[in-house]
C-alpha cells in the first residue's frame, strides 16, 4: 500500500458552447505522504483543475484518485479532509477573522470533537502561528492581501488536515511579501509534517519550495521529479526551456562512450556531455546550454565559437548574448562582473561544463 | 464638474428637476394639514382633522390593511420561490437556462392589464374563488422575477469560491446556505423584498381584475378620486410617502452595511 495520494490516468473534459477540451489529459502521479509537491506550468495547463479534482471540487471525467491505497474518486468534497487555500483567499466576508478560522471546527461534521473553549484556544494558537493575533476581531475587508492569505492558511491548518492544497496562494502578493511567505510555508511544512500540494506558474517558487515538481503542459505532466532532476536533467525540450530559460541548440550525436557522449553542432564544433542519452550516433538531439554553465576561454580547442551580439549588465553578473558560428544557434553566457568587459562583435570561444551540459532527445 | 462647464447652471438644473419631482408631493402634504374641505388655496389653518377622519374611516383602514396583507403575502411568495430559483439558475446548467433567464423578466415588461387578464382566465378555468389570496398569487408570481433577478445577479457577483471553501472545510449544504450564501445575498434579497412590496402596494391593474369583494388601498383611493381629491386622500398619501422614505432609508442602510463585506 502506498501512503499519500495517487492519481491514475486522471482526465477532465470541459464541455460548453459547442466545443469540448481536455483540461487535464491523463495525469499519473504519486504524491508521497508528508511531501511538498508542486504542479508547475503556464496558465491554462490544467494545474487548478487537477488540484480541484484532488479536493473533490471537480469530478474527474475518467481516471482514479487514491488516498493511502483507497479509491476516493467519488468521495464528496465535504468528507475528504483535505484543506484548500484558494487563489482568491475565499474568506467569509461577513465573519470576523476569528470566526473565519474557527469555521472548520464548528461545522456539524466536527461537532463534539472540540468544546467551544478548545476551539477558542486552537484558533488563538493558529492566529498566533500566522502572526495575526491582533486582528482576531477584524473583518476580512480590513486586512491587506498578505494578511488575508495568512487567514486563509490558518483556516486550513487549524482543522489539522493531513493534506493541504494550495492554488497559487502567493500570486497576488508583491515580490517582497512573496519571498517572506515562501519561507513561512517551507517552515510550516517542515514543522507540521503535512502533505502539501502546491500549484504555481512561478518556477523559482517551485524550485525553492518543493520536494518534487510536476511540470505540466496542456493537461499532461511533462516531467515529475526533484527540482534538481528537473533543472539539471530535463526530460525533454519543453521542460528544458520552461525551467531556467535554457537555450537549446540543435546537434547530432557524434560518438558514444560508456557514460558520456560527444555531440556535434551545425558548425562542426564538438561538445562533450557527461551522462547517458537514449540516442544512437548520428541521431538529431537538442543540446541544452545554460548561461551559468558557459565560460569564455582563450583556447579554441574543445570550445565552441561565436560572436558577442549583446550584453546586459545585471548587477550580479553580466549577461552576454552570443551567436554561435555558422548560424548554429544563440546562447546566453553569465560572466563575473569583475572580469574585463567583452566588446560587442568580438569573436569568442566558449567552454561548456561537461557535467552540466545535457542532451534532450524529444 | 469642470467637464460640464458652468457649475451654477448644473446646480440650477438639478434643483429644478428635484423641484419638478417633489414639489407636487410637498404641496399635497401641506394640503393634508389644511383646515378646508377642498384641496386648494387659500390655506385656512393647520389641522390634524383629516388624519383623525382617516383613522375613523373603516373602509379606508380595511383597505390599508388589505394592501399591507397582500404586500406581505407577495413578499413571502416571491422569496419562497424566487430564492431557490435564483440559486438553481446560478448553480446548475440545464437545457433552456438562457431562455429561462430572459423569459423570467416578462411579467415585469408586460402591461399589468395583460398579466391580469391571463391570470383571471386561468383562475376561472381552475375554479379558484377570487379573493385577496388570488391577488397575492397573481402579484407574487409576477414579482418573483424581481427576487430571481436581484438574487441571481448577486450570486453571480459573489462567485462560488466562498461556498466551495465552506464545503472544503466540511460544511454541509444547509451550513453553506446559512453561513455563506444567505449572508452574501441578504442585502440584495432585502432590496428585492422592498421593491416587491412597494410595487404590490400601489398595483392596480392586476388587482382590479383579480380581487373578490375586498379592496386594496389604491382601489379605494381610485374610487374616492372619481369624485374629487379630498383632504383625507392627501392624508393617506402623506403617510405613505413617509412610510416609503423609511423603507428607502432602511434599504440603503442594509445595502451599505453589506457592501464592504461582499468582497473579501
Ligand atoms: N469550469 C470550466 N469550464 C470550462 N473550461 C474550464 C473550466 N475550468 C477550467 N477550464 C479550462 O481548462 C483549462 C485548464 O484550466 P486550469 O486548470 O484553470 O489551468 P491553470 O490552473 O493551469 O491555469 C483551461 O483551458 C481552462 O480554460
Ligand atoms: Mg489556475
Amino acid at each position: 500500500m502506498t501512503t499519500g495520494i495517487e492519481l491514475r490516468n486522471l482526465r477532465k473534459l470541459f464541455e460548453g458552447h459547442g466545443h469540448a477540451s481536455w483540461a487535464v489529459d491523463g495525469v499519473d502521479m504519486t504524491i508521497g505522504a508528508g511531501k511538498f509537491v508542486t504542479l508547475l506550468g503556464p496558465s491554462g495547463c490544467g494545474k487548478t483543475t487537477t488540484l480541484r479534482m484532488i479536493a473533490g471540487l471537480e469530478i474527474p471525467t475518467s481516471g482514479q484518485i487514491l488516498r493511502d491505497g483507497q479509491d476516493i474518486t467519488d468521495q464528496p468534497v465535504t468528507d475528504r479532509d483535505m484543506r484548500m487555500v484558494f487563489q482568491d483567499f475565499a474568506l467569509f466576508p461577513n465573519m470576523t477573522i476569528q470566526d473565519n478560522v474557527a469555521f472548520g471546527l464548528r461545522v456539524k461534521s466536527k461537532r463534539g470533537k472540540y468544546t467551544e473553549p478548545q476551539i477558542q484556544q486552537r484558533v488563538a494558537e493558529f492566529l498566533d502561528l500566522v502572526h495575526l493575533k491582533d486582528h482576531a476581531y477584524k473583518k476580512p475587508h480590513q486586512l491587506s492581501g498578505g494578511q488575508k492569505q495568512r487567514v486563509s492558511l490558518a483556516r486550513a491548518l487549524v482543522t489539522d488536515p493531513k493534506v493541504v492544497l494550495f492554488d497559487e496562494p502567493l500570486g497576488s502578493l508583491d515580490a517582497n511579501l512573496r519571498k517572506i511567505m515562501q519561507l513561512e510555508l517551507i517552515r510550516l511544512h517542515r514543522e507540521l509534517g503535512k502533505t502539501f500540494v502546491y500549484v504555481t506558474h512561478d518556477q523559482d517558487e517551485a524550485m525553492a519550495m518543493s520536494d518534487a515538481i510536476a511540470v505540466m503542459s496542456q493537461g499532461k505532466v511533462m516531467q515529475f521529479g526533484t527540482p534538481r532532476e528537473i533543472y539539471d536533467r530535463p526530460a525533454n525540450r519543453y521542460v528544458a526551456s520552461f525551467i531556467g530559460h535554457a537555450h537549446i541548440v540543435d546537434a547530432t550525436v557524434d560518438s558514444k562512450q560508456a557514460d558520456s557522449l560527444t555531440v556535434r553542432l551545425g558548425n562542426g564544433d564538438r561538445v562533450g556531455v557527461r551522462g547517458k542519452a537514449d540516442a544512437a550516433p548520428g541521431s538529431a538531439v537538442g543540446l541544452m546550454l545554460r548561461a551559468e554553465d558557459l565560460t569564455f576561454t582563450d583556447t579554441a580547442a574543445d570550445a565552441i565559437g561565436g560572436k558577442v551580439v549583446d550584453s546586459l549588465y545585471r548587477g550580479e553578473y553580466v549577461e552576454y548574448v552570443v551567436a554561435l558560428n555558422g548560424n548554429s544557434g544563440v546562447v546566453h553566457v553569465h560572466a563575473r562582473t569583475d572580469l574585463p568587459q567583452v566588446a560587442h562583435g568580438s569573436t569568442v570561444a566558449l567552454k561548456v561544463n561537461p557535467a552540466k551540459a545535457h542532451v534532450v532527445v524529444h | 464638474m469642470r467637464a460640464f462647464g458652468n457649475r451654477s447652471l448644473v446646480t440650477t438644473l438639478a434643483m429644478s428637476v428635484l423641484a419638478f419631482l417633489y414639489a407636487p408631493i410637498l404641496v399635497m402634504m401641506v394640503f393634508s394639514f389644511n383646515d378646508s374641505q377642498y384641496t386648494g388655496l387659500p390655506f385656512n389653518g393647520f389641522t390634524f382633522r383629516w388624519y383623525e377622519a382617516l383613522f375613523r374611516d373603516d373602509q379606508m383602514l380595511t383597505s390599508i390593511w388589505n394592501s399591507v396583507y397582500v404586500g406581505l403575502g407577495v413578499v413571502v411568495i416571491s422569496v419562497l420561490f424566487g430564492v431557490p430559483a435564483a440559486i438553481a439558475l446560478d448553480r446548475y446548467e440545464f437545457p433552456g437556462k438562457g431562455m429561462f433567464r430572459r423569459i423570467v423578466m416578462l411579467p415585469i415588461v408586460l402591461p399589468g392589464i395583460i398579466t391580469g387578464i391571463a391570470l383571471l382566465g386561468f383562475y376561472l378555468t381552475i375554479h379558484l374563488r377570487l379573493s385577496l389570496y388570488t391577488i397575492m398569487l397573481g402579484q407574487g408570481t409576477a414579482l418573483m422575477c424581481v427576487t430571481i433577478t436581484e438574487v441571481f445577479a448577486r450570486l453571480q457577483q459573489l462567485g462560488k469560491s466562498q461556498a466551495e471553501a465552506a464545503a472544503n472545510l466540511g460544511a454541509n449544504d444547509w451550513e453553506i446556505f446559512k453561513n455563506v450564501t444567505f449572508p452574501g445575498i441578504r442585502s440584495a434579497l432585502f432590496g428585492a423584498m422592498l421593491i416587491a412590496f412597494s410595487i404590490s402596494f400601489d398595483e392596480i391593474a392586476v388587482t382590479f381584475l383579480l380581487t373578490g369583494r375586498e379592496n386594496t388601498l389604491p382601489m379605494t383611493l381610485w374610487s374616492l378620486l372619481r369624485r374629487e381629491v379630498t383632504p383625507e386622500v392627501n392624508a393617506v398619501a402623506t403617510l405613505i410617502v413617509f412610510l416609503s422614505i423609511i423603507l428607502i432609508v432602511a434599504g440603503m442602510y442594509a445595502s451599505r452595511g453589506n457592501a464592504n463585506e461582499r468582497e473579501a
Side-chain angles (χ1 to χ4, degrees), chain A residues 8 10 16 24 32 41 49 63 87 109 112 114 136-137 142 150 187 197 206 219 242 255 271 281 286 321 339 358:
Chain A
R8 284 191 190 160
L10 206 59
V24 175
T49 308
Q87 190 165 14
S109 46
Y114 303 96
Y137 296 103
Q142 292 169 293
R150 298 209 296 272
R187 176 180 67 91
V197 187
F242 186 73
S255 61
V271 178
V321 183
L339 295 175
H358 177 66

Side-chain angles (χ1 to χ4, degrees), chain A residues 223-299:
Chain A
Q223 187 174 3
F224 185 49
T226 64
R228 197 172 275 274
E229 281 166 1
I230 282 177
Y231 192 83
D232 288 344
R233 298 274 171 262
N236 45 52
R237 280 170 192 258
Y238 179 82
V239 175
S241 51
F242 186 73
I243 305 280
H245 312 292
H247 292 272
I248 297 171
V249 178
D250 288 325
T252 320
V253 178
D254 201 46
S255 61
K256 261 179 111 168
Q257 293 81 42
D259 57 355
S260 69
L261 67 165
T262 307
V263 298
R264 188 167 20 93
L265 304 188
N267 61 14
D269 286 345
R270 287 186 168 75
V271 178
V273 179
R274 230 170 265 172
K276 294 186 171 74
D278 188 19
S283 57
V285 292
L287 174 65
M288 180 187 85
L289 296 171
R290 290 194 192 277
E292 68 268 26
D293 302 329
L294 294 168
T295 42
F296 292 120
T297 175
D298 293 331
T299 55

Side-chain angles (χ1 to χ4, degrees), chain A residues 52 82-84 93 108 139, chain B residues 161 164 168 170 175 183 261:
Chain A
R52 287 170 58 83
M82 300 184 194
R83 299 290 172 250
M84 180 122 159
K108 188 152 165 278
K139 291 281 184 75
Chain B
S161 74
E164 287 183 342
N168 179 254
E175 286 170 316
E261 296 185 354

Side-chain angles (χ1 to χ4, degrees), chain B residues 12 57 115 134 167-168 192 221:
Chain B
T12 317
D57 183 341
T115 318
T134 46
N168 179 254
L221 291 181

Side-chain angles (χ1 to χ4, degrees), chain A residues 85-97:
Chain A
V85 176
F86 289 80
Q87 190 165 14
D88 61 350
F89 319 129
L91 299 182
F92 307 127
N94 53 307
M95 298 179 202
T96 61
I97 299 314

Side-chain angles (χ1 to χ4, degrees), chain A residues 48 87 167-168:
Chain A
T48 298
Q87 190 165 14
D167 189 4
E168 312 219 16

